[in-house]
Amino acid sequence: VEGEKTVQQEPLAIVTRNNDREFSDIINWVVQALFYGVEQGLTKNMTLCQNYTNLTTYHASNLNFMNAVYCVGNYHEIWGGEGNRQGMNQINNGTSGMVYAIPFGELDEEDDDKRDLDVAVSTTLRKFEESRLLNCGVVVPDGFDRVTNLTRGFVGMSSDYCRILAAAVLSENYDLVNITTFSQNDNSSFAALNDGTIDVLAGVRVEKKHDFGSPPSTGGVHFSTPYFYGNETANDDVSFFSLATREDDVMFSSFVNCVVLATIYARENEFTRKKNKYMPFVSIFGNDFEWALQNAILYSGNYDQIYKKHFGALTKAERGRNYLNEDGGPQIHSFPGLFRK
């Protein structure tokens, strides 16, 4: 930390292979359970630690993820020591920002053959070469006028992320997008994503049941880095809103996540539309998408510009979790949908 600004952040995570998304989801929800234990004051308790008698009867979403806490301990118990519970390793209570971009790392792929093979695996990215149209769904909350309010507030922001993605994947052509609205009260949006009617779904709340595909007919999804957070208290289910993609196209899911991260990365580095050329080249998705992040920021600007466009100039207090975590404040909170005891 230098002054009031954190100049180096090194988030640590568990890494899994990308060819087994269900196992990756299980690992992620184990980590979420550790966070949830801290939020709810749940600690290691061997009387609640349960053994499974027949794993073959379980769908992954039905696993008791709270066993991680009861049998081993919550996040802070595992870390140990007050020094490890400071800064970003604390539960966010809604009074500080959670908007944060993990480091991009190396975005160049020097092996042309491997790069082309990876892109060929992504049927969605290849599809855009022919269709030149992004089909994007937007989930509309209850009581929101679908027709007149697609440019306002949260729904306007979600619709804009559809256009940002179109600008990234279709060479600046942010208008080559077909936006379809869906109600939040049924599974029609996830069904449309699963059957290919839409390529990506915006404005969706991250939840365990959708991560694993419940009901099974909707299929499991991959959630991007969140771009909007609810104002719930720390011990409640906090709403995380992101872009959702199908789990069967890992490369496209990674591309979508990179685009969301790009808007936050641009804010961290104070890159505006006029400074879009400072965004990194990205060749890991193939030569056709090297300019993707620059094209995205050319259309949208950085995260703060997007937020102000749809919500106006609000104070940090009014924005709640929806501003940049640039001072190394609390960054942790569990996703909704964990099993309660």
Side-chain angles (χ1 to χ4, degrees), residues 137-204:
V138 173
V139 176
V140 179
D142 289 341
F144 210 93
D145 188 328
R146 296 191 190 194
V147 177
T148 63
N149 291 337
L150 279 176
T151 60
R152 292 178 48 199
F154 170 66
V155 174
M157 190 176 190
S158 297
S159 300
D160 229 9
Y161 266 97
C162 291
R163 298 184 187 95
I164 295 167
L165 183 58
V169 79
L170 294 169
S171 302
E172 301 183 27
N173 293 295
Y174 65 88
D175 55 340
L176 295 181
V177 57
N178 178 43
I179 296 177
T180 304
T181 57
F182 295 91
S183 170
Q184 69 173 8
N185 293 324
D186 55 41
N187 292 315
S188 61
S189 59
F190 290 96
L193 181 62
N194 187 50
D195 66 19
T197 301
I198 56 176
D199 305 305
V200 62
L201 180 62
V204 60

Side-chain angles (χ1 to χ4, degrees), residues 28-38 65-66 68-69 334 338:
N28 183 45
W29 283 99
V30 167
V31 175
Q32 296 301 316
L34 303 182
F35 298 159
Y36 181 76
V38 178
F65 292 100
M66 295 311 300
V69 175
S334 65
L338 282 161

Side-chain angles (χ1 to χ4, degrees), residues 12 16 141 180 219 253 256:
L12 304 179
T16 57
T180 304
S253 295
V256 170

